[in-house]
């Protein structure tokens, strides 16, 4: 467990997180009960044949979490409703491609940043009408409510997904090294100040540089630098580069990627490559490469979702009891620290436009994400679904899996979390251009300025191709919804 001194420093950085962890609500299970009652009514009225099948299009990693240990949740749903769950394992690819090629899916998982393209392409159904019909709303109360449901479920004013996964970014550090008296003395001698969790990206780089000791088998950083997810680790740096937060475009959809703050964010992203394990920029070197290295004690720091804590806290992990999560650093702007997080990955539930049983799919999703049922879902070993309701953070089994300290940091980060991606139709194109140029820079092929200049030019072309007027309208909607959050 972390020492008392280290927790004092850490908890000061997550001020307010613990306040959200109130007593459990007595109404847990009501959401599930209402869903089951609605399904039974549909069957009794003849609108849905008894024994109907609901086709689930899940990735392999979602099966355990959504169906339960030894299929316990699947069996429970089928027993309560008589609706059979027919599971199809879909490829590990953007859900857009899956929905285009597999029209017979009733419910699927999608990442937050994918929503605008899925909606624009007519691939998913707006679920607002179902919410109204069955009297549901995504309550965000801090006892059992969904955590930041507006981030997880909406495109502008349209509700398109049911929250089912919480994937903000966390910073993981080796607290055993930070608490070592010899390391503390050496760090103070080197830097002139105390060894502590970083408050700024500059301090983070300083920490990583200090603990980078490849000759001893320890690398400073294990952040992903794989092309497919480059935006995920660049965006928090960019968002915190201006107050109240940096914006990707101006009001006319002109990219703001060549501003001093954007260049500084890119330089911060690139700086860690020299303190990383060899091959960090090679294709496919994603979390399957970085997380095991941290779990083996070979890197001082890494970044990922709360899912990483499962691996680090598991039996056999070399860092079990030796790591801690910390809030993401920020940037010093106008004599104050600006700090922002964002959503990455995510396995939230969407209903395809081609679904044959859309109403049943919606009711199943509401049953599955009920406060009580979802707690059993997240507690399943081997599942990829992480906490997304406030009551999850208090559950004894979940606290054992992730550790109470990591859950406290996780809870605090949502207050500074911004939406994923660009929020625009064409998001996949915009992010692919950013990823490509960030990766070229990480490999030393171009510099930070050139990477941002190229991305800016490509974004302009994408905007023109999609239609600037419509993109301006969507961007204005996006900014109205989220732009003033601090």
């Amino acid at each position: 467990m972390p020492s008392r001194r280290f927790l004092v420093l850490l908890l000061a950085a997550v001020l307010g997180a613990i306040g959200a962890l109130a007593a459990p609500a007595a109404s847990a299970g009501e959401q599930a009960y209402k869903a089951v009652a609605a399904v039974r009514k549909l069957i009794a009225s003849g609108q849905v044949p008894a024994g109907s099948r609901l086709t689930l299009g899940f990735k392999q990693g979602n099966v355990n979490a959504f169906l339960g240990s030894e299929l316990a949740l699947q069996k429970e749903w089928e027993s309560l409703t008589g609706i059979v769950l027919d599971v199809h394992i879909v490829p590990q690819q953007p859900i857009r491609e899956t929905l285009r090629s597999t029209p017979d899916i009733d419910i699927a998982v999608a990442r937050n940043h994918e929503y605008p393209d899925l909606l624009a392409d007519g691939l998913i159904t707006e679920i607002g009408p179902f919410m109204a019909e069955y009297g549901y709303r995504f309550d965000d109360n801090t006892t059992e409510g969904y955590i930041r449901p507006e981030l997880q479920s909406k495109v502008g004013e349209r509700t398109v997904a049911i929250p089912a996964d919480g994937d903000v970014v966390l910073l993981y550090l080796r607290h055993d090294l930070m608490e070592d008296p010899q390391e503390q003395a050496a760090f103070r001698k080197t830097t002139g100040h105390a060894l502590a969790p970083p408050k700024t990206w500059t301090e983070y780089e300083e920490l990583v540089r200090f603990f980078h000791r490849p000759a001893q088998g320890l690398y400073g950083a294990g952040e992903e630098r794989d092309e497919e997810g480059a935006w995920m680790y660049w965006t928090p740096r960019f968002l915190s580069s201006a107050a109240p937060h940096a914006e990707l475009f101006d009001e006319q959809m002109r990219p703001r990627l060549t501003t001093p703050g954007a260049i500084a964010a890119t330089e911060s992203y690139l700086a860690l490559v020299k303190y990383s394990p060899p091959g960090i920029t090679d294709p496919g070197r994603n979390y399957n490469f970085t997380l095991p290295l941290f779990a083996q004690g070979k890197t001082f720091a890494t970044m990922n979702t709360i899912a990483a804590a499962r691996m680090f806290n598991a039996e056999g992990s070399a860092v079990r009891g030796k790591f801690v999560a910390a809030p993401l650093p920020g940037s010093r702007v106008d004599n104050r620290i600006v700090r922002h997080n964002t959503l990455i990955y995510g396995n939230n539930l969407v209903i395809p436009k081609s679904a044959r049983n859309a109403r049943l799919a919606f009711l199943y999703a509401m049953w599955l994400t009920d406060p009580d049922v979802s707690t059993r879902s997240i507690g399943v070993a081997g599942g990829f679904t992480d906490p997304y309701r406030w009551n999850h953070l208090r559950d004894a089994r979940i606290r054992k899996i992730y550790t109470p300290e990591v859950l406290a940091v996780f809870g605090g980060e949502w207050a500074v979390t911004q939406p994923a991606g660009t929020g625009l139709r064409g998001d996949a194109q915009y992010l692919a251009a950013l990823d490509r140029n960030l990766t070229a820079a990480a490999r030393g092929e171009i510099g930070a300025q050139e990477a941002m200049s190229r991305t800016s030019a490509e974004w302009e072309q994408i905007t023109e191709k999609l239609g600037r007027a419509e993109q301006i309208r969507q961007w204005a909607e996006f900014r109205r919804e989220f732009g003033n959050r601090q």
Side-chain angles (χ1 to χ4, degrees), residues 318-363:
V319 297
R320 190 179 190 188
K322 300 178 181 180
F323 76 96
V324 73
L328 287 193
S331 301
R332 200 172 296 278
V333 181
D334 298 330
N335 297 317
R336 72 182 181 97
I337 294 177
V338 177
R339 207 171 66 76
H340 291 285
N341 207 314
T342 194
L343 291 164
I344 62 174
Y345 302 118
N347 292 292
N348 303 296
L349 299 168
V350 294
I351 301 174
K353 201 79 167 180
S354 59
R356 291 172 294 186
N357 297 296
R359 184 171 270 98
L360 282 179
F362 169 76
L363 293 170

Side-chain angles (χ1 to χ4, degrees), residues 100-174:
R100 283 173 170 168
S101 61
T102 314
D104 58 346
I105 293 174
D106 292 313
I107 195 165
V109 294
R111 295 178 176 180
N112 304 82
H113 74 94
E114 295 177 313
Y115 300 165
D117 280 335
L118 294 174
L119 188 62
D121 291 351
L123 292 172
I124 56 174
T125 299
E126 290 187 51
I127 61 172
F130 290 144
M131 302 282 287
E133 179 180 352
Y134 292 103
Y136 281 117
R137 68 186 183 91
F138 291 136
D139 195 345
D140 63 354
N141 74 81
T142 55
T143 53
E144 64 173 16
Y146 293 93
I147 305 174
R148 295 291 303 278
E150 79 282 7
L151 287 180
Q152 296 270 62
S153 65
K154 288 193 168 189
V155 173
E157 295 297 326
R158 291 162 290 184
T159 304
V160 300
I162 299 95
D165 195 16
D167 276 358
V168 294
V169 190
L170 300 182
L171 171 63
Y172 293 93
L173 304 170
R174 285 283 300 278

Side-chain angles (χ1 to χ4, degrees), residues 427-440:
D427 179 81
Q429 298 176 55
Y430 288 116
L431 294 185
L434 176 62
D435 288 345
R436 185 169 54 253
N437 289 309
L438 284 173
T439 301

Side-chain angles (χ1 to χ4, degrees), residues 416-430:
V416 296
T417 294
Q418 296 287 349
T422 65
L424 294 164
R425 177 187 55 151
D427 179 81
Q429 298 176 55
Y430 288 116

